[in-house]
């Protein structure tokens, strides 16, 4: 890979012909059309997130004459370049000089580029950026792109995969799942955590359809000219969730569950949505259920595994009281303080366990209506407690 350091390119030149695509959240072109700012393998523009703190900082740096750091161009042809690193900074500058956002002046008043005094406008436009032009094979460039430590926000795993497997499939998939203008996002957000910009919907869709083998799937479909399977599978999972749990308002605990795995495991079972919703409501109201997000899989699994719900356990005071009572009675009778050991026939028949050798057990299981109260508590040795299971 060959590199040439350029110090002659001004902000004015970079921003000549700058186009920002509002819909895709991308800076597209600069340098009079010779520069592609966001090639396919690049991430979306994120400097406008969080109230635009980062993009404003870029402009303040220019005005104060602070260095913006190195920018890397990939030379893809005679007089044709792609931004390899620096697209967030360049997009910030391009957006500012095209009046897409304002900065605050010394008095805290918002100032768009056009409303800045001429000398400040010139200062920005005449700033020279430090640019490395790199020339190499696609493989060299992409390998290098993976290894450079991008200042500010590091690429996350899905952004890296988009870079590695760039091609028609990623282009189409991003247009669907990484576009924050997609009207379906409000629906996706109920079940999936994250944002379109950081590729969370794309990652989830790929995770579901590939059963967890995202890179394998991307590699296999890299040159596909459609994303039909990806889209269909994704929508099938969402439709299934909505048919089993027909909420009018989806509770927040449903967000971020492993819906792909749950769909694969349970979608061939039949559920009565009316009964399901009654069960959901009862469990939401049950003060013993500590992990509300476990309710959905608990119900899908036929209410067989209460450990999903992290049912409230006995508090320390209750356990100590019950331990003291059981131990006193056992010592008087000369039997073990574990009631199950006491009725056994082995060497532990008369063993008195220490407090930390025992654990609390629900006499009547929570799933059968038993509460975590002193009356429903018995202390068992750890072996017997485990054998009885966490019911
Ligand atoms: Zn025992």
């Amino acid at each position: 890979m060959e590199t040439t350091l350029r110090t002659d390119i001004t902000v004015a030149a970079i921003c000549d012909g700058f186009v920002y695509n509002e819909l895709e959240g991308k800076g597209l072109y600069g340098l009079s059309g010779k520069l592609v700012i966001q090639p396919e393998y690049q991430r979306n523009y994120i400097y406008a997130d969080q109230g635009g703190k980062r993009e404003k900082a870029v402009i303040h740096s220019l005005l104060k004459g602070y260095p913006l750091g190195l920018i890397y161009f990939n030379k893809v042809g005679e007089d044709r370049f792609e931004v390899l690193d620096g697209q967030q900074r360049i997009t910030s500058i391009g957006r500012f000089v095209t009046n897409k956002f304002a900065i605050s002046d010394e008095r805290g008043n918002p100032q768009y580029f056009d409303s800045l005094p001429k000398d400040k406008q010139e200062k920005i436009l005449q700033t020279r950026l430090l640019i490395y032009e790199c020339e190499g094979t696609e493989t060299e460039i992409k390998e290098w792109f993976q290894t450079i430590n991008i200042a500010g926000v590091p690429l996350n795993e899905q952004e890296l995969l988009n870079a590695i497997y760039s091609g028609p499939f990623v282009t189409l998939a991003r247009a669907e799942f990484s576009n924050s203008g997609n009207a379906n996002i409000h629906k996706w957000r109920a079940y999936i955590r994250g944002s379109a910009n950081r590729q969370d919907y794309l990652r989830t869709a790929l995770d579901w359809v590939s059963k967890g083998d995202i890179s394998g799937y991307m590699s296999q479909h890299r040159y596909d000219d459609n994303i039909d399977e990806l889209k269909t599978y994704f929508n099938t999972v969402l439709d299934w969730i909505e048919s089993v749990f027909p909420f009018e308002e989806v509770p927040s605990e449903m967000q971020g569950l492993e819906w792909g795995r749950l769909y694969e495991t349970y979608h061939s079972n039949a559920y009565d949505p009316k009964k399901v919703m009654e069960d959901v409501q009862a469990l939401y109201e049950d003060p013993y259920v500590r992990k509300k997000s476990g309710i959905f899989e608990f119900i899908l699994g036929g209410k067989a595994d209460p450990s999903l719900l992290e049912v409230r356990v006995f508090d320390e005071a209750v356990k100590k009281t019950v331990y003291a009572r059981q131990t006193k009675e056992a010592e008087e009778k000369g039997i073990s303080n574990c009631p199950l050991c006491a009725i056994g026939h082995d060497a532990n028949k008369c063993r008195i366990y220490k407090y930390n050798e025992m654990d609390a057990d629900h006499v009547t299981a929570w799933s059968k209506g038993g509460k975590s109260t002193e009356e429903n508590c018995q202390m068992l040795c750890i072996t017997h407690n485990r054998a009885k299971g966490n019911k």
Side-chain angles (χ1 to χ4, degrees), residues 336-342 348 353 358 379-385:
S336 173
N337 59 348
C338 167
L340 294 184
C341 285
N348 290 332
Y353 291 92
M358 303 187 89
M379 297 297 284
L380 296 180
C381 73
I382 285 166
T383 312
H384 273 121
N385 195 59

Coordinates of all heavy atoms in Angstrom, one line a residue, residues 336-342 348 353 358 379-385, ligand 1:
S336 N -31.4 -35.2 62.7 CA -30.8 -34.1 61.9 C -31.7 -32.9 61.8 O -33.0 -33.1 61.9 CB -30.6 -34.7 60.5 OG -30.1 -33.6 59.7
N337 N -31.1 -31.8 61.7 CA -31.9 -30.5 61.5 C -32.4 -30.4 60.1 O -33.1 -29.4 59.8 CB -31.2 -29.3 62.1 CG -29.9 -29.0 61.4 OD1 -29.4 -29.9 60.7 ND2 -29.3 -27.9 61.7
C338 N -31.9 -31.2 59.2 CA -32.5 -31.3 57.8 C -33.6 -32.3 57.9 O -33.3 -33.5 58.1 CB -31.5 -31.6 56.8 SG -32.2 -32.1 55.2
P339 N -34.9 -31.9 57.7 CA -36.0 -32.9 57.9 C -35.9 -34.0 56.9 O -36.4 -35.1 57.2 CB -37.2 -32.0 57.6 CG -36.8 -30.7 57.1 CD -35.3 -30.5 57.5
L340 N -35.3 -33.8 55.7 CA -35.2 -34.9 54.8 C -34.1 -35.9 55.2 O -34.2 -37.1 55.0 CB -35.0 -34.4 53.3 CG -36.2 -33.6 52.8 CD1 -35.9 -33.2 51.3 CD2 -37.5 -34.4 52.9
C341 N -33.0 -35.4 55.7 CA -31.9 -36.3 56.2 C -32.5 -37.1 57.4 O -32.2 -38.3 57.6 CB -30.7 -35.5 56.7 SG -29.7 -34.8 55.3
A342 N -33.3 -36.4 58.2 CA -33.8 -37.0 59.5 C -34.6 -38.3 59.2 O -34.6 -39.2 60.0 CB -34.6 -36.0 60.3
N348 N -26.1 -39.3 57.8 CA -26.6 -38.0 58.1 C -27.9 -37.9 58.9 O -28.4 -36.8 59.2 CB -26.8 -37.2 56.7 CG -25.4 -36.9 56.1 OD1 -24.4 -36.8 56.7 ND2 -25.5 -36.8 54.7
Y353 N -26.6 -29.7 60.8 CA -25.9 -28.8 59.8 C -25.7 -27.4 60.4 O -26.5 -26.9 61.2 CB -26.7 -28.8 58.5 CG -26.7 -30.1 57.8 CD1 -27.7 -31.0 58.0 CD2 -25.7 -30.4 56.8 CE1 -27.7 -32.2 57.3 CE2 -25.7 -31.5 56.1 CZ -26.7 -32.5 56.3 OH -26.8 -33.6 55.7
M358 N -26.9 -25.1 54.8 CA -28.3 -25.3 54.5 C -28.8 -24.2 53.6 O -28.2 -23.1 53.5 CB -29.2 -25.3 55.8 CG -28.7 -26.4 56.8 SD -29.8 -26.6 58.2 CE -30.9 -27.8 57.6
M379 N -35.7 -25.2 56.2 CA -34.3 -25.2 55.8 C -34.0 -26.6 55.5 O -34.3 -27.6 56.2 CB -33.5 -24.7 57.0 CG -33.7 -23.2 57.3 SD -33.3 -22.1 56.0 CE -31.5 -22.1 56.1
L380 N -33.3 -26.8 54.4 CA -32.8 -28.2 54.0 C -31.3 -28.1 53.8 O -30.7 -27.1 53.5 CB -33.4 -28.6 52.6 CG -34.9 -28.7 52.6 CD1 -35.3 -29.2 51.1 CD2 -35.4 -29.8 53.6
C381 N -30.6 -29.3 54.0 CA -29.2 -29.3 53.7 C -29.1 -29.0 52.2 O -30.0 -29.2 51.4 CB -28.6 -30.6 54.1 SG -29.1 -32.0 52.9
I382 N -27.9 -28.5 51.8 CA -27.7 -28.1 50.4 C -28.0 -29.2 49.4 O -28.6 -29.0 48.4 CB -26.3 -27.4 50.3 CG1 -26.3 -26.1 50.9 CG2 -25.9 -27.3 48.8 CD1 -25.0 -25.4 51.1
T383 N -27.6 -30.4 49.8 CA -27.8 -31.6 48.9 C -29.3 -31.8 48.6 O -29.7 -31.9 47.5 CB -27.2 -32.8 49.5 OG1 -25.8 -32.5 49.9 CG2 -27.2 -34.0 48.5
H384 N -30.0 -31.8 49.7 CA -31.5 -32.0 49.5 C -32.2 -30.9 48.9 O -33.1 -31.0 48.1 CB -32.1 -32.3 50.9 CG -32.0 -33.8 51.3 ND1 -31.4 -34.2 52.4 CD2 -32.5 -34.9 50.6 CE1 -31.5 -35.6 52.4 NE2 -32.1 -36.0 51.4
N385 N -31.7 -29.7 49.2 CA -32.3 -28.5 48.5 C -32.1 -28.5 47.0 O -33.1 -28.3 46.3 CB -31.7 -27.2 49.1 CG -32.6 -26.0 48.8 OD1 -33.7 -25.9 49.1 ND2 -32.0 -25.1 48.1
Ligands
LIG1 ZN1 -30.6 -33.3 54.0

